[in-house]
């Protein structure tokens, strides 16, 4: 599949001092937060349920339902795997196993002279985004090569091919491509042009190069948020609450792209090339959440919550390596050329910037079964959340006061042009059998891409069991996740971009242990 995004590529190529692209914004906003095992078993719907520590991160008004103190710990394990479809070829990644932590913390009710008026304070920690993933796809391509963006950037620079690369105004990738002869000059129609090695034979033969292409992306890390919340209970009918969150970001990604000649020409010039990038990002942010829950009747609860954008202060760095095997023009056979930043004497910079994430708005409802006044005799509930996320409102800005901000303004405009607001849906239920509970849930996170050719969605199907007796509770949950997304192997500045459809699958097993104090 192909799609035009040339504005983005030209912008990046002309501002080599920066590294942020719109994909960084969607990675930080298109997420499915974790919670306690109970919360995950019911699809993550907790906007109007109340009495659940996960409310601290969804609708803090639910903390107002607490009457006794509670301490909670939620460990978990994830098994991840993905399938990729690229230009008609399917491929499957290796399995990745990661440990994580769901909502854990403590809730402390504040006593009042009036039992119908109370308040609660809570402090907790939660993995609000999980970046652990592995993506793999491969296929044959006679349309483009990953060397082309490097060739175009060098040609547009007007620099001579024998320039000293250490301080040249080029991206590190283009410098490495030049050093390893992945791009070089070729005489075409009497004039010299900068071309990629994979196109060398094709240009001379006046045909398209057929290439085997393969990409593997292994990422890890996430966003771990520490939050403090407070909620008030007004006559057991209205509940108001708010929380302040400090999300801590840790993300790393290794991308390996390999391209090889698929032809059988005996005297071909290009054999294969590998491009590896190692990216790291870290930082912290600040946000707030406000919410309310109303008991419309003894069996019906309605909730409303607003999550402000998170203001992040981030820093990142990227190291790159290129290996290229081409025919040695000065001696028989082929030679393998490799290069890193150290080989060129280039110092890897650390970029510092700010980012603002989208707004979130949540409306929800819960219907309870059984005798509502006595919690021990309640038979169960059905609950649902509808969430709206303003993905296109994400913004980058410079952390350097001397920067004029022109690059970030261009990136922000591309974010507005590339993404859209989405609705997310979560629904779940619980049935009580004395001290045991059974739970089921489902959630769907909509497509954030504005272009109709780009498909994306996240879907979770979940279930679990719970045990409660004499102030002790143990919950287990299993969550099966399916993620559909698109991935661009590289970006082309002068023609349509090809991309892959990626389908990721993961199994998450979560356990929560808690105590009523």
């Amino acid at each position: 599949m192909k799609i035009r995004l040339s504005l983005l590529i030209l912008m990046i190529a002309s501002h080599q001092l920066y590294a942020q692209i719109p994909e960084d914004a969607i990675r930080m906003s298109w997420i499915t937060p974790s919670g306690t095992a109970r919360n995950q078993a019911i699809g993550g719907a907790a906007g109007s349920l109340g009495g659940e520590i996960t409310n601290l991160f969804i609708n803090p008004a639910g903390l107002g339902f607490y009457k006794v103190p509670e301490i909670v710990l939620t460990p978990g394990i994830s098994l991840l795997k993905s399938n990729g479809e690229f230009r008609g070829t399917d491929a499957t990644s290796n399995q990745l196993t990661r440990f994580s932590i769901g909502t854990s913390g403590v809730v402390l009710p504040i006593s009042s002279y009036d039992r119908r008026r109370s308040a609660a304070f809570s402090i907790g920690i939660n993995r609000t985004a999980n970046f652990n993933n592995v993506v793999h796809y491969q296929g044959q391509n006679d349309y483009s090569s990953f060397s082309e963006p490097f060739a175009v950037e060098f040609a547009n620079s007007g620099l001579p091919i024998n320039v000293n690369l250490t301080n040249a105004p080029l991206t590190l990738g283009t410098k490495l491509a030049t050093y390893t002869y992945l791009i070089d000059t070729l005489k075409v129609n009497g004039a010299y042009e900068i071309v990629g090695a994979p196109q060398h034979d094709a240009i001379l033969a006046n045909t398209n190069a057929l290439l085997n292409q393969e990409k593997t992306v292994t990422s890890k890390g996430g966003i771990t948020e520490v939050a403090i919340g407070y909620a008030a209970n007004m006559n057991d009918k209205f509940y108001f609450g708010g929380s302040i969150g400090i999300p801590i970001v840790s993300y790393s990604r290794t991308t390996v792209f390999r391209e090889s000649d698929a032809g059988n020409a005996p005297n071909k010039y290009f054999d294969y090339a590998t491009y590896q990038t190692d990216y790291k990002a870290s930082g912290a942010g600040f946000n707030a959440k406000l919410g309310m829950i109303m008991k419309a009747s003894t069996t019906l609860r309605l909730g409303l919550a607003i999550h402000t954008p998170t203001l992040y202060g981030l820093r990142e760095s990227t190291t790159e390596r290129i290996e290229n095997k081409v025919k040695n023009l000065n001696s028989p056979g082929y030679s393998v050329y490799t290069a890193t930043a150290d080989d060129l004497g280039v110092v890897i910079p650390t970029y510092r910037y700010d980012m603002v994430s989208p707004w979130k708005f949540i409306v929800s409802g819960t219907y309870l079964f059984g005798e509502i006044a006595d919690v021990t005799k309640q038979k169960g509930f059905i609950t649902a959340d509808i969430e709206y996320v303003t993905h296109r409102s994400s913004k980058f800005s410079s952390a350097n006061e001397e920067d004029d901000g022109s690059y970030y303004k261009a990136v922000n405009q591309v974010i507005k042009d590339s993404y859209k607001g989405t609705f997310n849906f979560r629904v779940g239920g619980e049935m009580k059998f004395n001290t045991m509970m059974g739970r089921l849930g489902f959630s769907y996170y909509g497509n954030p891409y504005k272009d109709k050719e780009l498909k994306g969605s996240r879907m979770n199907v979940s279930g679990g069991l719970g045990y409660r007796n004499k102030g002790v509770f143990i919950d287990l949950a299993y969550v099966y996740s399916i993620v559909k997304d698109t991935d661009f192997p590289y970006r082309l500045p002068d023609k349509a971009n090809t991309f892959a459809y990626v389908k990721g699958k993961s199994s998450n097993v979560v356990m929560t242990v808690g105590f009523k104090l």
Side-chain angles (χ1 to χ4, degrees):
M1 297 297 294
K2 298 178 288 185
I3 188 171
R4 285 202 170 274
L5 287 172
S6 56
L7 171 62
L8 170 62
I9 310 310
L10 290 175
M11 174 188 66
I12 292 175
S14 62
H15 291 80
Q16 59 274 359
L17 296 180
Y18 302 94
Q20 293 71 55
I21 56 176
E23 282 90 337
D24 295 327
I26 204 68
R27 184 183 71 242
M28 301 284 281
S29 65
W30 196 39
I31 55 180
T32 56
S34 64
T36 62
R38 182 193 190 207
N39 173 255
Q40 294 191 57
I42 60 173
S48 57
L49 183 58
E52 162 69 50
I53 193 173
T54 310
N55 287 132
L56 183 62
F57 302 92
I58 298 177
N59 185 350
L63 299 173
F65 285 78
Y66 276 89
K67 302 297 184 181
V68 296
E70 180 178 286
I71 185 169
V72 175
L73 177 64
T74 307
I77 185 172
S78 299
L79 307 174
L80 307 107
K81 204 170 192 178
S82 73
N83 298 321
E85 189 275 317
F86 179 60
R87 304 187 68 83
T89 301
D90 295 328
T92 302
S93 71
N94 294 325
Q95 184 168 281
L96 185 70
T97 303
R98 289 285 187 267
F99 292 94
S100 62
I101 185 168
T103 304
S104 302
V106 61
V107 181
L108 300 173
I110 301 173
S111 60
S112 171
Y113 64 91
D114 185 348
R115 63 178 300 272
R116 294 180 63 84
R117 292 176 181 267
S118 61
F121 169 83
S122 177
I123 181 169
I125 186 171
N126 188 34
R127 177 58 66 96
T128 56
N130 188 351
F131 298 143
N132 296 320
N133 196 20
V134 57
V135 172
H136 175 78
Y137 56 85
Q138 62 187 40
Q140 289 193 329
N141 186 357
D142 63 353
Y143 175 74
S144 64
S145 162
F146 88 100
S147 64
E148 292 181 48
F150 302 137
V152 170
E153 183 188 354
F154 197 103
N156 290 340
S157 72
L159 296 170
I161 196 66
N162 60 348
V163 67
N164 185 318
L165 296 173
T166 302
N167 297 312
L170 299 167
T171 60
L172 177 58
T174 298
K175 293 178 182 180
L176 298 177
T178 305
Y179 189 86
T180 58
Y181 301 100
L182 181 62
I183 61 173
D184 206 343
T185 57
L186 179 67
K187 195 170 186 178
V188 182
N189 298 324
Y192 284 97
E193 296 181 6
I194 305 293
V195 300
Q199 281 78 38
H200 186 280
D201 297 320
I203 291 174
L204 295 180
N206 195 29
T207 185
N208 291 331
L210 180 62
L211 302 170
N212 295 315
Q213 295 182 330
E214 180 180 2
K215 183 177 181 180
T216 302
V217 183
T218 304
S219 57
K220 62 181 181 178
I223 302 176
T224 301
E225 184 168 319
V226 179
I228 298 174
Y230 175 86
N233 166 16
M234 308 298 292
N235 297 319
D236 285 337
K237 185 174 180 62
F238 293 99
Y239 303 81
F240 302 92
S243 65
I244 295 174
I246 301 176
I248 301 169
V249 181
S250 176
Y251 176 68
S252 63
R253 178 185 68 231
T254 296
T255 303
V256 179
F257 184 85
R258 191 178 193 276
E259 188 171 86
S260 61
D261 182 77
N264 297 314
N267 296 315
K268 64 184 180 181
Y269 172 70
F270 172 75
D271 187 34
Y272 75 86
T274 301
Y275 178 41
Q276 177 174 327
T277 61
D278 293 289
Y279 171 88
K280 293 182 179 180
S282 61
F286 176 85
N287 62 45
K289 300 175 181 67
L290 300 172
M292 67 166 292
I293 296 175
M294 179 185 69
K295 287 185 177 179
S297 67
T298 57
T299 58
L300 181 63
R301 300 173 184 175
L302 302 175
L304 174 66
I306 299 174
H307 297 188
T308 70
T310 299
L311 174 60
Y312 289 104
L314 301 168
R315 59 182 181 181
E316 64 178 28
S317 63
T318 304
T319 59
E320 302 173 49
R321 179 183 183 274
I322 288 182
E323 178 179 302
N324 182 39
K325 183 179 181 180
V326 293
K327 192 169 186 178
N328 193 319
L329 300 181
N330 299 318
S331 62
Y334 288 84
S335 294
V336 177
Y337 301 90
T338 62
T340 63
D342 290 340
D343 296 320
L344 277 64
V346 175
V347 177
I348 300 297
T350 297
Y351 302 102
R352 297 179 182 273
Y353 60 99
D354 298 327
M355 177 193 164
V356 178
S357 71
W359 288 86
K360 290 184 180 181
F361 304 91
I362 304 171
V363 295
S364 54
T366 298
Y367 183 82
L368 295 97
F369 303 98
E371 186 177 333
I372 308 305
D374 187 347
V375 176
T376 62
K377 296 182 180 181
Q378 291 178 6
K379 297 300 183 182
F381 61 82
I382 295 176
T383 186
D385 294 348
I386 300 176
E387 178 182 77
Y388 182 74
V389 185
T390 62
H391 290 294
R392 65 191 304 267
S393 68
S394 294
K395 292 182 180 180
F396 291 107
S397 61
S398 175
N400 183 359
E401 295 181 355
E402 299 177 357
D403 194 319
D404 64 4
S406 60
Y407 172 81
Y408 294 98
K409 290 179 182 178
V411 174
N412 294 337
Q413 185 58 51
V414 175
I415 290 173
K416 291 182 179 180
D417 295 338
S418 302
Y419 303 120
K420 64 180 181 179
T422 62
F423 284 98
N424 304 323
F425 304 92
R426 298 184 287 263
V427 62
E430 175 184 275
M431 289 297 295
K432 294 185 177 181
F433 306 96
N434 196 9
T435 59
M436 299 296 296
M437 297 90 181
R439 301 167 182 133
L440 291 175
F442 175 82
S443 61
Y444 181 84
Y445 294 76
N447 184 8
Y449 303 112
K450 184 177 292 186
D451 193 291
K452 295 181 179 179
E453 284 195 64
L454 302 181
K455 307 299 183 183
S457 65
R458 297 175 182 264
M459 183 174 66
N460 295 337
V461 180
S462 55
L465 297 172
Y467 169 82
R468 276 158 172 69
N469 191 27
K470 296 181 179 179
V472 177
F473 58 92
I474 301 174
D475 298 316
L476 292 173
Y478 174 78
V479 184
Y480 182 72
S481 302
I482 300 175
V483 178
K484 296 180 180 180
D485 202 357
T486 55
D487 186 82
F488 291 83
Y490 46 83
R491 301 290 196 172
L492 300 168
D494 54 351
K495 58 183 179 182
N497 284 267
T498 187
F499 61 89
Y501 290 114
V502 178
K503 185 177 182 180
K505 300 177 182 179
S506 67
S507 297
N508 302 277
V509 180
V510 184
M511 179 179 71
T512 295
V513 178
F515 303 91
K516 300 285 187 180
L517 304 179

